[in-house]
């Protein structure tokens, strides 16, 4: 996970090429293929798509879709709470940008 976050931050700063970012996204996507549960599969796919936003903005919606699927397959109320906190964090970031 740290690799993905660090790589995306480097892309935002302009320190790496989209090609390099895509390679990391593919690595993370491989984790999804190795997942043994629906929850871990959706979590990995959501993260891979989030990384991919560094070269195509449209991946943000796909990332969000996988995150919603993760919440839907989870019976853990803490997951729903975490999803709400994450959405609120995202909205704060958007507000700060505009």
């Amino acid at each position: 996970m740290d690799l993905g976050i660090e790589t995306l931050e480097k892309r935002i700063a302009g320190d790496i090429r989209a090609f390099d970012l895509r390679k990391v996204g593919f690595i993370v996507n491989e984790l999804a293929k190795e997942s043994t549960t629906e929850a871990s599969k959706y979590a990995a796919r959501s993260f891979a798509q989030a990384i991919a936003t560094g070269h195509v903005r449209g991946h943000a919606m796909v990332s969000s879709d996988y995150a919603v699927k993760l919440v839907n397959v989870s019976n853990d109320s803490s997951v729903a709470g975490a999803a709400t906190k994450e959405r609120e964090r995202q909205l704060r970031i958007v507000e700060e940008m505009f």
Side-chain angles (χ1 to χ4, degrees):
M1 186 162 132
D2 291 339
L3 173 64
I5 293 170
E6 290 169 12
T7 305
L8 184 54
E9 288 174 348
K10 287 179 183 177
R11 176 65 178 161
I12 291 168
D15 294 337
I16 64 168
R17 303 172 299 162
F19 175 79
D20 299 316
L21 178 76
R22 291 182 72 225
K23 286 192 325 188
V24 173
F26 291 136
I27 291 169
V28 173
N29 206 37
E30 286 300 312
L31 295 174
K33 292 178 183 177
E34 297 172 9
S35 296
T36 58
T37 67
E38 290 292 301
S40 65
K41 176 177 70 175
Y42 291 142
R45 287 185 178 169
S46 177
F47 189 55
Q49 293 295 321
I51 292 168
T53 61
H55 69 92
V56 176
R57 290 182 294 184
H59 288 288
M61 290 302 297
V62 180
S63 176
S64 178
D65 290 344
Y66 279 122
V68 168
K69 288 179 181 184
L70 171 60
V71 171
N72 287 338
V73 300
S74 175
N75 293 324
D76 186 347
S77 62
S78 67
V79 172
T84 299
K85 288 171 94 174
E86 174 60 19
R87 181 59 65 182
E88 290 168 351
R89 184 188 73 81
Q90 292 171 357
L91 290 171
R92 282 193 306 274
I93 291 170
V94 169
E95 286 175 1
E96 291 171 5
M97 292 176 70
F98 299 102

